[in-house]
Amino acid sequence: MFGFDINKRGTPQGEVKVPESLGIVVGIVFLIVAIIFQFFNFTEDSVWLVEYNAALASICFMILLGFVDDVLDVPWRVKLLLPSFATLPLLMAYAGHTTIVIPKPLVSYVGLEILDLGRIYKLYMALLAVFCTNSINIHAGLNGLEIGQTVVIAAAILIHNVMQIGASVDSEIRQAHAFSIYLTQPLMATSLAMLAFNWYPSAVFVGDTYTVFAGMTMAVVGILGHFSETLLIFFLPQVLNFLLSLPQLAGIVKCPRHRLPKFDPATGLLTGTKDGTLVNVYLRIFGRKSEKSLCIHLLVFQALACAFCFLLRHFLAGWYK
Amino acid sequence: MFGFDINKRGTPQGEVKVPESLGIVVGIVFLIVAIIFQFFNFTEDSVWLVEYNAALASICFMILLGFVDDVLDVPWRVKLLLPSFATLPLLMAYAGHTTIVIPKPLVSYVGLEILDLGRIYKLYMALLAVFCTNSINIHAGLNGLEIGQTVVIAAAILIHNVMQIGASVDSEIRQAHAFSIYLTQPLMATSLAMLAFNWYPSAVFVGDTYTVFAGMTMAVVGILGHFSETLLIFFLPQVLNFLLSLPQLAGIVKCPRHRLPKFDPATGLLTGTKDGTLVNVYLRIFGRKSEKSLCIHLLVFQALACAFCFLLRHFLAGWYK
């Protein structure tokens, strides 16, 4: 399986066949590593084993559906719902708490400090998985952007986990963050390896297999590590991209098959189109850029969002929760 | 994705494009059903949840690898080893006993009644998974044979489970067989649905995706249900086929890409070739047959093997174990 690089159309590089869906390799290596990890990280009577295996089943199911999508080109409205199937093992096996802590400024209005959402919490989990998976998938289209954003967010998750383990004395919280590290670390490692080949100019494409796999893994660690709010702030550029895409996704504005910027073969620069994606809006605001420089800009923006999240947590700690 | 029906080459039916790899549909439906089943079958604190989720992860991983194989045509020597990767979640999460009961006539020679194999038991589990998966995969090539044999064996497994639940008073054994039913029942249901389309003349092919998925599921229930010896007798035709194939698999005799019987477009009958498969040997012994009649004969043989297994268990009970 192969594809052509649309952002290089009109240059000799645009004629090169690029292998597609290499995300399957990343996914399979990740699974094997993550499976073997549990031998070292858990004892046989650990209560975390159910959730770890459910997480593996969810991620594996997501990789399977992503690869099917790559091979068979599933219609995109169906595609949006695939993560909700993949998240089923997690929802079914999830036996953790279903409570949320009401932010302190709101306690007097709600009248409760802790609210048990019950099954609605599981719905929230499913929606989070659908969002993370699809938001990575639609913030794409530049060489290295899919993997780059994953690497940046995964690094932020790892830093957050280590900080929380250091700061917390509650063993349950420490275990939850350790659990997150066990899954994020192989994601980081396999992604970095693939980034070497996917960076501009891409020798391989990763396909939907990779984006849905990465999104699902991060959603899973966010859910089971109980830091989904923090995760959503790490996902700030993806949230922005999703909001910008809403008019086209909802069908109010016409949505073409690809919503890539316009490539000028003479100068090698990209120009933003009217399509509502962060890539295009960024180009419209900050002017024309080469593909590589645009990708670096967007990754720096991603890193700034993560830094903003850490600052926010620092200043709100104590006041907010 | 599509293929041509080799056993109808030279007739108008041989020119029809037949959709390939429909096993992916069976596999995904099976996973969704099996995942939702655990909501009804287990309480949240059940000790079986870890193994159930590990089983789901293994089966899902196997479907993924099978589908990758269908799409990318993995070399068959690599293919043989794929199940050993897929069985990893199961091996890692398996916390059950690793002992085998020594058959009574051998107790005096071994000097033990129960032998703890430790890690060797896990190796046995992995080898069983590799065998079941590949043996279903190579006993194939006729319309309906792949699914037909699965349906026959799955029926035998279900009968065996129900009989054991009825006969046993030990709650652990009853739970193990109930566990097997939870996974075999959806396998049976999804396979029967697909058989309607895969029966002669096939409107769809199931591909390696299906054969490895079915083999893995049966291996998993055999392992976790603790009736792997019984399972191997259900697999008698597959064992025979494997033994007949050994010279070619080992490379002693030249092995062509397909080892199908020779089709005569004029009479519509199949003639056995010299390739060492049960299909060919059966044709050589019992004469030329149409594809449909040959498939029925082989399925009846499979059913006889299962009946033989029940008889054997009946007569050996008490004396052997």
PDB file of all heavy atoms in Angstrom, chain A residues 228-259:
ATOM      1  N   SER A 228      -8.061  13.366  33.188  1.00  0.00           N
ATOM      2  CA  SER A 228      -8.621  13.678  31.877  1.00  0.00           C
ATOM      3  C   SER A 228      -8.772  15.185  31.662  1.00  0.00           C
ATOM      4  O   SER A 228      -8.664  15.655  30.532  1.00  0.00           O
ATOM      5  CB  SER A 228      -9.955  12.970  31.677  1.00  0.00           C
ATOM      6  OG  SER A 228     -10.848  13.287  32.715  1.00  0.00           O
ATOM      7  N   GLU A 229      -9.008  15.961  32.746  1.00  0.00           N
ATOM      8  CA  GLU A 229      -9.120  17.417  32.566  1.00  0.00           C
ATOM      9  C   GLU A 229      -7.780  17.992  32.099  1.00  0.00           C
ATOM     10  O   GLU A 229      -7.718  18.792  31.167  1.00  0.00           O
ATOM     11  CB  GLU A 229      -9.512  18.081  33.886  1.00  0.00           C
ATOM     12  CG  GLU A 229     -10.977  17.971  34.219  1.00  0.00           C
ATOM     13  CD  GLU A 229     -11.238  18.387  35.655  1.00  0.00           C
ATOM     14  OE1 GLU A 229     -10.463  17.951  36.534  1.00  0.00           O
ATOM     15  OE2 GLU A 229     -12.186  19.135  35.887  1.00  0.00           O
ATOM     16  N   THR A 230      -6.695  17.545  32.780  1.00  0.00           N
ATOM     17  CA  THR A 230      -5.360  17.984  32.391  1.00  0.00           C
ATOM     18  C   THR A 230      -5.078  17.596  30.943  1.00  0.00           C
ATOM     19  O   THR A 230      -4.553  18.389  30.154  1.00  0.00           O
ATOM     20  CB  THR A 230      -4.317  17.335  33.317  1.00  0.00           C
ATOM     21  OG1 THR A 230      -4.690  17.601  34.666  1.00  0.00           O
ATOM     22  CG2 THR A 230      -2.939  17.863  33.051  1.00  0.00           C
ATOM     23  N   LEU A 231      -5.458  16.352  30.594  1.00  0.00           N
ATOM     24  CA  LEU A 231      -5.221  15.865  29.232  1.00  0.00           C
ATOM     25  C   LEU A 231      -5.883  16.779  28.213  1.00  0.00           C
ATOM     26  O   LEU A 231      -5.296  17.110  27.180  1.00  0.00           O
ATOM     27  CB  LEU A 231      -5.773  14.437  29.106  1.00  0.00           C
ATOM     28  CG  LEU A 231      -5.504  13.747  27.775  1.00  0.00           C
ATOM     29  CD1 LEU A 231      -4.029  13.399  27.662  1.00  0.00           C
ATOM     30  CD2 LEU A 231      -6.343  12.486  27.624  1.00  0.00           C
ATOM     31  N   LEU A 232      -7.096  17.210  28.516  1.00  0.00           N
ATOM     32  CA  LEU A 232      -7.822  18.052  27.556  1.00  0.00           C
ATOM     33  C   LEU A 232      -7.123  19.398  27.357  1.00  0.00           C
ATOM     34  O   LEU A 232      -7.213  19.981  26.273  1.00  0.00           O
ATOM     35  CB  LEU A 232      -9.261  18.255  28.010  1.00  0.00           C
ATOM     36  CG  LEU A 232     -10.193  17.092  27.666  1.00  0.00           C
ATOM     37  CD1 LEU A 232     -11.597  17.358  28.181  1.00  0.00           C
ATOM     38  CD2 LEU A 232     -10.240  16.857  26.154  1.00  0.00           C
ATOM     39  N   ILE A 233      -6.428  19.887  28.383  1.00  0.00           N
ATOM     40  CA  ILE A 233      -5.688  21.150  28.174  1.00  0.00           C
ATOM     41  C   ILE A 233      -4.425  20.883  27.347  1.00  0.00           C
ATOM     42  O   ILE A 233      -4.040  21.704  26.521  1.00  0.00           O
ATOM     43  CB  ILE A 233      -5.350  21.845  29.511  1.00  0.00           C
ATOM     44  CG1 ILE A 233      -6.589  21.854  30.400  1.00  0.00           C
ATOM     45  CG2 ILE A 233      -4.878  23.274  29.254  1.00  0.00           C
ATOM     46  CD1 ILE A 233      -6.422  22.587  31.704  1.00  0.00           C
ATOM     47  N   PHE A 234      -3.803  19.714  27.555  1.00  0.00           N
ATOM     48  CA  PHE A 234      -2.695  19.338  26.654  1.00  0.00           C
ATOM     49  C   PHE A 234      -3.184  19.321  25.208  1.00  0.00           C
ATOM     50  O   PHE A 234      -2.425  19.577  24.279  1.00  0.00           O
ATOM     51  CB  PHE A 234      -2.150  17.942  26.988  1.00  0.00           C
ATOM     52  CG  PHE A 234      -1.385  17.858  28.294  1.00  0.00           C
ATOM     53  CD1 PHE A 234      -1.326  16.663  28.995  1.00  0.00           C
ATOM     54  CD2 PHE A 234      -0.714  18.947  28.811  1.00  0.00           C
ATOM     55  CE1 PHE A 234      -0.619  16.566  30.184  1.00  0.00           C
ATOM     56  CE2 PHE A 234      -0.010  18.864  30.001  1.00  0.00           C
ATOM     57  CZ  PHE A 234       0.042  17.670  30.686  1.00  0.00           C
ATOM     58  N   PHE A 235      -4.446  18.957  25.018  1.00  0.00           N
ATOM     59  CA  PHE A 235      -5.028  18.829  23.676  1.00  0.00           C
ATOM     60  C   PHE A 235      -5.558  20.171  23.150  1.00  0.00           C
ATOM     61  O   PHE A 235      -6.350  20.176  22.210  1.00  0.00           O
ATOM     62  CB  PHE A 235      -6.185  17.811  23.705  1.00  0.00           C
ATOM     63  CG  PHE A 235      -5.766  16.397  23.394  1.00  0.00           C
ATOM     64  CD1 PHE A 235      -5.006  15.670  24.285  1.00  0.00           C
ATOM     65  CD2 PHE A 235      -6.148  15.783  22.194  1.00  0.00           C
ATOM     66  CE1 PHE A 235      -4.621  14.367  24.013  1.00  0.00           C
ATOM     67  CE2 PHE A 235      -5.757  14.478  21.915  1.00  0.00           C
ATOM     68  CZ  PHE A 235      -4.998  13.773  22.823  1.00  0.00           C
ATOM     69  N   LEU A 236      -5.114  21.289  23.730  1.00  0.00           N
ATOM     70  CA  LEU A 236      -5.658  22.593  23.341  1.00  0.00           C
ATOM     71  C   LEU A 236      -5.633  22.842  21.824  1.00  0.00           C
ATOM     72  O   LEU A 236      -6.652  23.231  21.245  1.00  0.00           O
ATOM     73  CB  LEU A 236      -4.894  23.703  24.087  1.00  0.00           C
ATOM     74  CG  LEU A 236      -5.603  25.045  24.182  1.00  0.00           C
ATOM     75  CD1 LEU A 236      -6.904  24.927  24.948  1.00  0.00           C
ATOM     76  CD2 LEU A 236      -4.696  26.058  24.872  1.00  0.00           C
ATOM     77  N   PRO A 237      -4.495  22.619  21.127  1.00  0.00           N
ATOM     78  CA  PRO A 237      -4.507  22.851  19.676  1.00  0.00           C
ATOM     79  C   PRO A 237      -5.532  21.960  18.969  1.00  0.00           C
ATOM     80  O   PRO A 237      -6.175  22.387  18.018  1.00  0.00           O
ATOM     81  CB  PRO A 237      -3.082  22.497  19.238  1.00  0.00           C
ATOM     82  CG  PRO A 237      -2.259  22.615  20.468  1.00  0.00           C
ATOM     83  CD  PRO A 237      -3.154  22.236  21.599  1.00  0.00           C
ATOM     84  N   GLN A 238      -5.679  20.714  19.459  1.00  0.00           N
ATOM     85  CA  GLN A 238      -6.651  19.807  18.849  1.00  0.00           C
ATOM     86  C   GLN A 238      -8.073  20.301  19.103  1.00  0.00           C
ATOM     87  O   GLN A 238      -8.942  20.197  18.230  1.00  0.00           O
ATOM     88  CB  GLN A 238      -6.485  18.386  19.400  1.00  0.00           C
ATOM     89  CG  GLN A 238      -5.289  17.620  18.855  1.00  0.00           C
ATOM     90  CD  GLN A 238      -3.977  18.089  19.441  1.00  0.00           C
ATOM     91  OE1 GLN A 238      -3.939  18.784  20.446  1.00  0.00           O
ATOM     92  NE2 GLN A 238      -2.880  17.724  18.807  1.00  0.00           N
ATOM     93  N   VAL A 239      -8.310  20.848  20.313  1.00  0.00           N
ATOM     94  CA  VAL A 239      -9.636  21.388  20.612  1.00  0.00           C
ATOM     95  C   VAL A 239      -9.925  22.562  19.677  1.00  0.00           C
ATOM     96  O   VAL A 239     -11.006  22.649  19.083  1.00  0.00           O
ATOM     97  CB  VAL A 239      -9.715  21.841  22.094  1.00  0.00           C
ATOM     98  CG1 VAL A 239     -11.026  22.551  22.364  1.00  0.00           C
ATOM     99  CG2 VAL A 239      -9.561  20.649  23.022  1.00  0.00           C
ATOM    100  N   LEU A 240      -8.928  23.457  19.529  1.00  0.00           N
ATOM    101  CA  LEU A 240      -9.081  24.587  18.609  1.00  0.00           C
ATOM    102  C   LEU A 240      -9.382  24.102  17.201  1.00  0.00           C
ATOM    103  O   LEU A 240     -10.303  24.599  16.535  1.00  0.00           O
ATOM    104  CB  LEU A 240      -7.777  25.404  18.557  1.00  0.00           C
ATOM    105  CG  LEU A 240      -7.606  26.520  19.577  1.00  0.00           C
ATOM    106  CD1 LEU A 240      -6.259  27.189  19.380  1.00  0.00           C
ATOM    107  CD2 LEU A 240      -8.742  27.534  19.400  1.00  0.00           C
ATOM    108  N   ASN A 241      -8.605  23.118  16.744  1.00  0.00           N
ATOM    109  CA  ASN A 241      -8.780  22.582  15.398  1.00  0.00           C
ATOM    110  C   ASN A 241     -10.173  21.982  15.236  1.00  0.00           C
ATOM    111  O   ASN A 241     -10.829  22.160  14.210  1.00  0.00           O
ATOM    112  CB  ASN A 241      -7.713  21.517  15.130  1.00  0.00           C
ATOM    113  CG  ASN A 241      -7.737  21.013  13.711  1.00  0.00           C
ATOM    114  OD1 ASN A 241      -7.768  21.799  12.771  1.00  0.00           O
ATOM    115  ND2 ASN A 241      -7.749  19.700  13.551  1.00  0.00           N
ATOM    116  N   PHE A 242     -10.632  21.307  16.297  1.00  0.00           N
ATOM    117  CA  PHE A 242     -11.971  20.712  16.263  1.00  0.00           C
ATOM    118  C   PHE A 242     -13.029  21.808  16.153  1.00  0.00           C
ATOM    119  O   PHE A 242     -13.953  21.715  15.328  1.00  0.00           O
ATOM    120  CB  PHE A 242     -12.191  19.871  17.524  1.00  0.00           C
ATOM    121  CG  PHE A 242     -13.592  19.383  17.696  1.00  0.00           C
ATOM    122  CD1 PHE A 242     -14.120  18.415  16.840  1.00  0.00           C
ATOM    123  CD2 PHE A 242     -14.402  19.871  18.709  1.00  0.00           C
ATOM    124  CE1 PHE A 242     -15.422  17.966  16.999  1.00  0.00           C
ATOM    125  CE2 PHE A 242     -15.698  19.425  18.872  1.00  0.00           C
ATOM    126  CZ  PHE A 242     -16.211  18.470  18.009  1.00  0.00           C
ATOM    127  N   LEU A 243     -12.892  22.884  16.957  1.00  0.00           N
ATOM    128  CA  LEU A 243     -13.874  23.967  16.922  1.00  0.00           C
ATOM    129  C   LEU A 243     -13.879  24.638  15.551  1.00  0.00           C
ATOM    130  O   LEU A 243     -14.935  24.955  15.003  1.00  0.00           O
ATOM    131  CB  LEU A 243     -13.566  24.992  18.019  1.00  0.00           C
ATOM    132  CG  LEU A 243     -13.747  24.479  19.452  1.00  0.00           C
ATOM    133  CD1 LEU A 243     -13.366  25.553  20.460  1.00  0.00           C
ATOM    134  CD2 LEU A 243     -15.187  24.023  19.682  1.00  0.00           C
ATOM    135  N   LEU A 244     -12.661  24.828  14.979  1.00  0.00           N
ATOM    136  CA  LEU A 244     -12.577  25.437  13.648  1.00  0.00           C
ATOM    137  C   LEU A 244     -13.213  24.533  12.597  1.00  0.00           C
ATOM    138  O   LEU A 244     -13.744  25.007  11.594  1.00  0.00           O
ATOM    139  CB  LEU A 244     -11.106  25.691  13.278  1.00  0.00           C
ATOM    140  CG  LEU A 244     -10.385  26.790  14.047  1.00  0.00           C
ATOM    141  CD1 LEU A 244      -8.892  26.743  13.768  1.00  0.00           C
ATOM    142  CD2 LEU A 244     -10.962  28.157  13.666  1.00  0.00           C
ATOM    143  N   SER A 245     -13.143  23.201  12.834  1.00  0.00           N
ATOM    144  CA  SER A 245     -13.655  22.243  11.852  1.00  0.00           C
ATOM    145  C   SER A 245     -15.156  22.052  11.970  1.00  0.00           C
ATOM    146  O   SER A 245     -15.795  21.553  11.042  1.00  0.00           O
ATOM    147  CB  SER A 245     -12.984  20.881  12.038  1.00  0.00           C
ATOM    148  OG  SER A 245     -11.594  20.989  11.907  1.00  0.00           O
ATOM    149  N   LEU A 246     -15.722  22.440  13.122  1.00  0.00           N
ATOM    150  CA  LEU A 246     -17.133  22.136  13.392  1.00  0.00           C
ATOM    151  C   LEU A 246     -18.089  22.506  12.252  1.00  0.00           C
ATOM    152  O   LEU A 246     -18.903  21.672  11.852  1.00  0.00           O
ATOM    153  CB  LEU A 246     -17.585  22.798  14.695  1.00  0.00           C
ATOM    154  CG  LEU A 246     -17.670  21.883  15.920  1.00  0.00           C
ATOM    155  CD1 LEU A 246     -18.309  22.631  17.077  1.00  0.00           C
ATOM    156  CD2 LEU A 246     -18.442  20.608  15.608  1.00  0.00           C
ATOM    157  N   PRO A 247     -17.994  23.740  11.706  1.00  0.00           N
ATOM    158  CA  PRO A 247     -18.952  24.079  10.637  1.00  0.00           C
ATOM    159  C   PRO A 247     -18.904  23.088   9.476  1.00  0.00           C
ATOM    160  O   PRO A 247     -19.943  22.703   8.948  1.00  0.00           O
ATOM    161  CB  PRO A 247     -18.497  25.472  10.188  1.00  0.00           C
ATOM    162  CG  PRO A 247     -17.748  26.027  11.344  1.00  0.00           C
ATOM    163  CD  PRO A 247     -17.107  24.858  12.022  1.00  0.00           C
ATOM    164  N   GLN A 248     -17.669  22.632   9.117  1.00  0.00           N
ATOM    165  CA  GLN A 248     -17.578  21.684   7.998  1.00  0.00           C
ATOM    166  C   GLN A 248     -18.000  20.288   8.420  1.00  0.00           C
ATOM    167  O   GLN A 248     -18.648  19.569   7.667  1.00  0.00           O
ATOM    168  CB  GLN A 248     -16.158  21.681   7.432  1.00  0.00           C
ATOM    169  CG  GLN A 248     -15.860  22.969   6.666  1.00  0.00           C
ATOM    170  CD  GLN A 248     -14.552  22.923   5.925  1.00  0.00           C
ATOM    171  OE1 GLN A 248     -13.567  22.414   6.436  1.00  0.00           O
ATOM    172  NE2 GLN A 248     -14.531  23.460   4.712  1.00  0.00           N
ATOM    173  N   LEU A 249     -17.644  19.869   9.656  1.00  0.00           N
ATOM    174  CA  LEU A 249     -18.018  18.533  10.116  1.00  0.00           C
ATOM    175  C   LEU A 249     -19.534  18.421  10.243  1.00  0.00           C
ATOM    176  O   LEU A 249     -20.125  17.383   9.953  1.00  0.00           O
ATOM    177  CB  LEU A 249     -17.372  18.223  11.477  1.00  0.00           C
ATOM    178  CG  LEU A 249     -15.860  18.046  11.490  1.00  0.00           C
ATOM    179  CD1 LEU A 249     -15.374  17.732  12.892  1.00  0.00           C
ATOM    180  CD2 LEU A 249     -15.428  16.941  10.536  1.00  0.00           C
ATOM    181  N   ALA A 250     -20.167  19.513  10.674  1.00  0.00           N
ATOM    182  CA  ALA A 250     -21.611  19.473  10.867  1.00  0.00           C
ATOM    183  C   ALA A 250     -22.358  19.603   9.542  1.00  0.00           C
ATOM    184  O   ALA A 250     -23.577  19.458   9.497  1.00  0.00           O
ATOM    185  CB  ALA A 250     -22.031  20.604  11.806  1.00  0.00           C
ATOM    186  N   GLY A 251     -21.601  19.894   8.466  1.00  0.00           N
ATOM    187  CA  GLY A 251     -22.237  19.943   7.153  1.00  0.00           C
ATOM    188  C   GLY A 251     -22.819  21.312   6.814  1.00  0.00           C
ATOM    189  O   GLY A 251     -23.483  21.473   5.798  1.00  0.00           O
ATOM    190  N   ILE A 252     -22.573  22.332   7.677  1.00  0.00           N
ATOM    191  CA  ILE A 252     -23.093  23.669   7.394  1.00  0.00           C
ATOM    192  C   ILE A 252     -22.309  24.280   6.224  1.00  0.00           C
ATOM    193  O   ILE A 252     -22.871  24.887   5.324  1.00  0.00           O
ATOM    194  CB  ILE A 252     -22.971  24.576   8.647  1.00  0.00           C
ATOM    195  CG1 ILE A 252     -23.756  23.945   9.800  1.00  0.00           C
ATOM    196  CG2 ILE A 252     -23.481  25.987   8.356  1.00  0.00           C
ATOM    197  CD1 ILE A 252     -23.505  24.594  11.143  1.00  0.00           C
ATOM    198  N   VAL A 253     -20.977  24.069   6.255  1.00  0.00           N
ATOM    199  CA  VAL A 253     -20.129  24.502   5.149  1.00  0.00           C
ATOM    200  C   VAL A 253     -19.679  23.245   4.407  1.00  0.00           C
ATOM    201  O   VAL A 253     -19.456  22.209   5.026  1.00  0.00           O
ATOM    202  CB  VAL A 253     -18.907  25.290   5.675  1.00  0.00           C
ATOM    203  CG1 VAL A 253     -18.021  25.748   4.532  1.00  0.00           C
ATOM    204  CG2 VAL A 253     -19.374  26.465   6.518  1.00  0.00           C
ATOM    205  N   LYS A 254     -19.556  23.314   3.086  1.00  0.00           N
ATOM    206  CA  LYS A 254     -19.186  22.151   2.289  1.00  0.00           C
ATOM    207  C   LYS A 254     -17.800  21.640   2.710  1.00  0.00           C
ATOM    208  O   LYS A 254     -16.867  22.409   2.906  1.00  0.00           O
ATOM    209  CB  LYS A 254     -19.178  22.521   0.802  1.00  0.00           C
ATOM    210  CG  LYS A 254     -19.247  21.314  -0.126  1.00  0.00           C
ATOM    211  CD  LYS A 254     -19.391  21.774  -1.581  1.00  0.00           C
ATOM    212  CE  LYS A 254     -18.830  20.716  -2.516  1.00  0.00           C
ATOM    213  NZ  LYS A 254     -17.353  20.610  -2.450  1.00  0.00           N
ATOM    214  N   CYS A 255     -17.674  20.292   2.835  1.00  0.00           N
ATOM    215  CA  CYS A 255     -16.417  19.713   3.297  1.00  0.00           C
ATOM    216  C   CYS A 255     -15.799  18.850   2.209  1.00  0.00           C
ATOM    217  O   CYS A 255     -16.355  17.829   1.833  1.00  0.00           O
ATOM    218  CB  CYS A 255     -16.673  18.868   4.547  1.00  0.00           C
ATOM    219  SG  CYS A 255     -15.177  18.236   5.295  1.00  0.00           S
ATOM    220  N   PRO A 256     -14.628  19.277   1.651  1.00  0.00           N
ATOM    221  CA  PRO A 256     -13.978  18.450   0.624  1.00  0.00           C
ATOM    222  C   PRO A 256     -13.313  17.228   1.259  1.00  0.00           C
ATOM    223  O   PRO A 256     -13.216  17.127   2.483  1.00  0.00           O
ATOM    224  CB  PRO A 256     -12.939  19.398   0.024  1.00  0.00           C
ATOM    225  CG  PRO A 256     -12.594  20.317   1.146  1.00  0.00           C
ATOM    226  CD  PRO A 256     -13.816  20.447   1.998  1.00  0.00           C
ATOM    227  N   ARG A 257     -12.834  16.292   0.419  1.00  0.00           N
ATOM    228  CA  ARG A 257     -12.199  15.069   0.920  1.00  0.00           C
ATOM    229  C   ARG A 257     -10.954  15.401   1.749  1.00  0.00           C
ATOM    230  O   ARG A 257     -10.752  14.856   2.814  1.00  0.00           O
ATOM    231  CB  ARG A 257     -11.831  14.173  -0.275  1.00  0.00           C
ATOM    232  CG  ARG A 257     -11.170  12.858   0.095  1.00  0.00           C
ATOM    233  CD  ARG A 257     -12.215  11.843   0.563  1.00  0.00           C
ATOM    234  NE  ARG A 257     -11.577  10.615   1.056  1.00  0.00           N
ATOM    235  CZ  ARG A 257     -11.063  10.482   2.265  1.00  0.00           C
ATOM    236  NH1 ARG A 257     -11.089  11.482   3.112  1.00  0.00           N
ATOM    237  NH2 ARG A 257     -10.523   9.344   2.647  1.00  0.00           N
ATOM    238  N   HIS A 258     -10.103  16.271   1.210  1.00  0.00           N
ATOM    239  CA  HIS A 258      -8.918  16.707   1.946  1.00  0.00           C
ATOM    240  C   HIS A 258      -9.025  18.199   2.174  1.00  0.00           C
ATOM    241  O   HIS A 258      -9.479  18.932   1.300  1.00  0.00           O
ATOM    242  CB  HIS A 258      -7.642  16.403   1.154  1.00  0.00           C
ATOM    243  CG  HIS A 258      -7.361  14.952   1.024  1.00  0.00           C
ATOM    244  ND1 HIS A 258      -6.894  14.181   2.057  1.00  0.00           N
ATOM    245  CD2 HIS A 258      -7.508  14.107  -0.029  1.00  0.00           C
ATOM    246  CE1 HIS A 258      -6.748  12.932   1.651  1.00  0.00           C
ATOM    247  NE2 HIS A 258      -7.128  12.859   0.386  1.00  0.00           N
ATOM    248  N   ARG A 259      -8.578  18.642   3.351  1.00  0.00           N
ATOM    249  CA  ARG A 259      -8.659  20.073   3.639  1.00  0.00           C
ATOM    250  C   ARG A 259      -7.255  20.634   3.839  1.00  0.00           C
ATOM    251  O   ARG A 259      -6.956  21.292   4.817  1.00  0.00           O
ATOM    252  CB  ARG A 259      -9.527  20.301   4.868  1.00  0.00           C
ATOM    253  CG  ARG A 259     -10.928  19.709   4.711  1.00  0.00           C
ATOM    254  CD  ARG A 259     -11.793  20.064   5.897  1.00  0.00           C
ATOM    255  NE  ARG A 259     -11.261  19.539   7.132  1.00  0.00           N
ATOM    256  CZ  ARG A 259     -11.597  19.966   8.331  1.00  0.00           C
ATOM    257  NH1 ARG A 259     -12.439  20.967   8.456  1.00  0.00           N
ATOM    258  NH2 ARG A 259     -11.079  19.421   9.413  1.00  0.00           N
TER     259      ARG A 259
END
